[in-house]
Amino acid sequence: MGDFQMFKSKSLQSLFLIALGSLIYAIAINYFLIPTKLGEGGVTGLTTIAYYTLKIPPYLTNFILNGFLLLVGYRFLDRRTIIRSIWAVIWLSIFLKIPVFYTYHTTETIIPTLAGGVLTGVAMGLILNAGGSIAGSTILGRIFNKYFGMQIGSATLFFDLAVAIPSVLIIGFQNMLLTVLELYLSAQLTNVFLSRFGSKKSINIISNQTNLIAQKLSAELHQGITLIKASGYYSQTERPIIYLICSSKQLAEIIPLIREIDPQALIVVDNIRSVRAEELYRLL
């Protein structure tokens, strides 16, 4: 029962993060990209072009085109990803349909370019980290990540540029260059955001009080502690090394515990990226 409740809680959290990411993405489009007549990549780029040329509402184009791509993705991606992607597309269409309350105008077009890139990068990081996508080029990016090992952000950027560069005929050369800059910034932030998932600290502890420290850490952290057999070359004495992985928050609790037992203990801390095998794609 406890495992089911935990699974349900994590699922609800993921759905909330996907909806939040969709909101941020819609804000970037409605408040920064469209008012400045900037383009975008993938399906979103096609929605902006349809809006600039035919005045078709972005939410409508987004819903129809992404619905088609989700059918393509259904054949290559797992069911959970598709369901959460449908959830993201629905919310993105809803948020895109909400009227704009304030239209942002500036002659410094680099400002909305950077703002759009940051917001879309953060939004994509939230959505992808929660196991979803906004379909479009991210569906293709996930397929390339799964079968060719390409980073999701980089693969998505490739497909985005295939739409953004030809948009020069609609938005002009300068705005096309700004669109490419926005897409690059968004892709880099997406990669950084995903690489931070599972970011942990690894700790190696060498002490004369190995057993006491291991017992204390195991009791406090409620997790396994690994003892690595080792011996000192100079002293020729065997002294196991305590090895564990923890979060940055846990590290702040661990150091005082070790100092309390053995102030002379040698502690080596490294930054690592780790996830369970089933979530390995997040690090690629």
Side-chain angles (χ1 to χ4, degrees):
M1 189 68 178
D3 291 339
F4 174 76
Q5 290 295 334
M6 183 178 295
F7 174 78
K8 183 178 179 181
S9 176
K10 288 184 177 180
S11 296
L12 290 175
Q13 183 183 29
S14 296
L15 294 177
F16 170 76
L17 290 176
I18 290 172
L20 177 61
S22 300
L23 173 61
I24 296 173
Y25 201 93
I27 290 174
I29 295 172
N30 281 344
Y31 287 84
F32 292 99
L33 301 184
I34 288 181
T36 317
K37 204 176 181 181
L38 293 174
E40 247 292 339
V43 167
T44 307
L46 295 176
T47 64
T48 58
I49 292 174
Y51 177 75
Y52 296 146
T53 56
L54 303 174
K55 296 300 178 183
I56 300 176
Y59 77 89
L60 185 60
T61 313
N62 172 74
F63 189 77
I64 294 174
L65 294 180
N66 278 327
F68 171 76
L69 281 174
L70 282 171
L71 291 176
V72 175
Y74 182 80
R75 187 174 178 181
F76 297 97
L77 301 175
D78 61 277
R79 183 182 176 186
R80 187 183 71 168
T81 299
I82 293 299
I83 291 175
R84 294 188 178 185
S85 297
I86 292 173
W87 175 261
V89 169
I90 291 173
W91 277 110
L92 179 58
S93 298
I94 291 173
F95 291 135
L96 285 173
K97 194 177 188 302
I98 296 175
V100 175
F101 298 105
Y102 171 76
T103 303
Y104 178 76
H105 290 292
T106 178
T107 56
E108 300 294 334
T109 51
I110 190 65
I111 297 175
T113 299
L114 297 178
V118 170
L119 289 176
T120 55
V122 170
M124 288 305 305
L126 285 171
I127 293 170
L128 291 171
N129 202 24
S133 73
I134 57 169
S137 53
T138 56
I139 284 288
L140 300 176
R142 275 190 176 279
I143 292 173
F144 266 61
N145 172 259
K146 181 177 181 179
Y147 291 99
F148 301 103
M150 186 182 296
Q151 284 187 313
I152 294 177
S154 301
T156 301
L157 176 62
F158 173 79
F159 293 108
D160 283 343
L161 290 177
V163 173
I165 293 177
S167 69
V168 64
L169 301 174
I170 307 297
I171 63 178
F173 184 72
Q174 175 177 294
N175 280 13
M176 184 273 290
L177 292 179
L178 290 173
T179 297
V180 172
L181 174 61
E182 181 265 332
L183 289 172
Y184 176 78
L185 177 59
S186 176
Q188 293 305 309
L189 283 175
T190 299
N191 285 337
V192 169
F193 198 103
L194 292 177
S195 69
R196 291 296 298 171
F197 178 87
S199 178
K200 300 284 186 178
K201 304 286 186 180
S202 71
I203 308 175
N204 291 280
I205 307 165
I206 302 176
S207 168
N208 292 323
Q209 305 294 328
T210 300
N211 289 333
L212 285 177
I213 293 175
Q215 290 173 7
K216 186 70 172 178
L217 292 178
S218 181
E220 293 292 332
L221 300 178
H222 304 289
Q223 70 178 51
I225 305 295
T226 302
L227 295 181
I228 302 175
K229 186 176 180 180
S231 60
Y233 177 78
Y234 181 78
S235 63
Q236 294 297 307
T237 58
E238 291 192 359
R239 186 174 300 170
I241 297 174
I242 302 173
Y243 178 80
L244 69 148
I245 295 175
C246 68
S247 65
S248 297
K249 181 180 179 181
Q250 289 175 317
L251 179 63
E253 302 171 359
I254 289 172
I255 300 301
L257 290 177
I258 300 173
R259 188 186 299 121
E260 181 182 336
I261 298 173
D262 183 7
Q264 303 302 316
L266 176 63
I267 306 171
V268 180
V269 180
D270 289 314
N271 293 315
I272 63 171
R273 291 191 295 159
S274 63
V275 295
R276 298 183 186 279
E278 63 181 7
E279 296 173 326
L280 187 62
Y281 73 89
R282 297 177 187 271
L283 301 184
L284 296 175

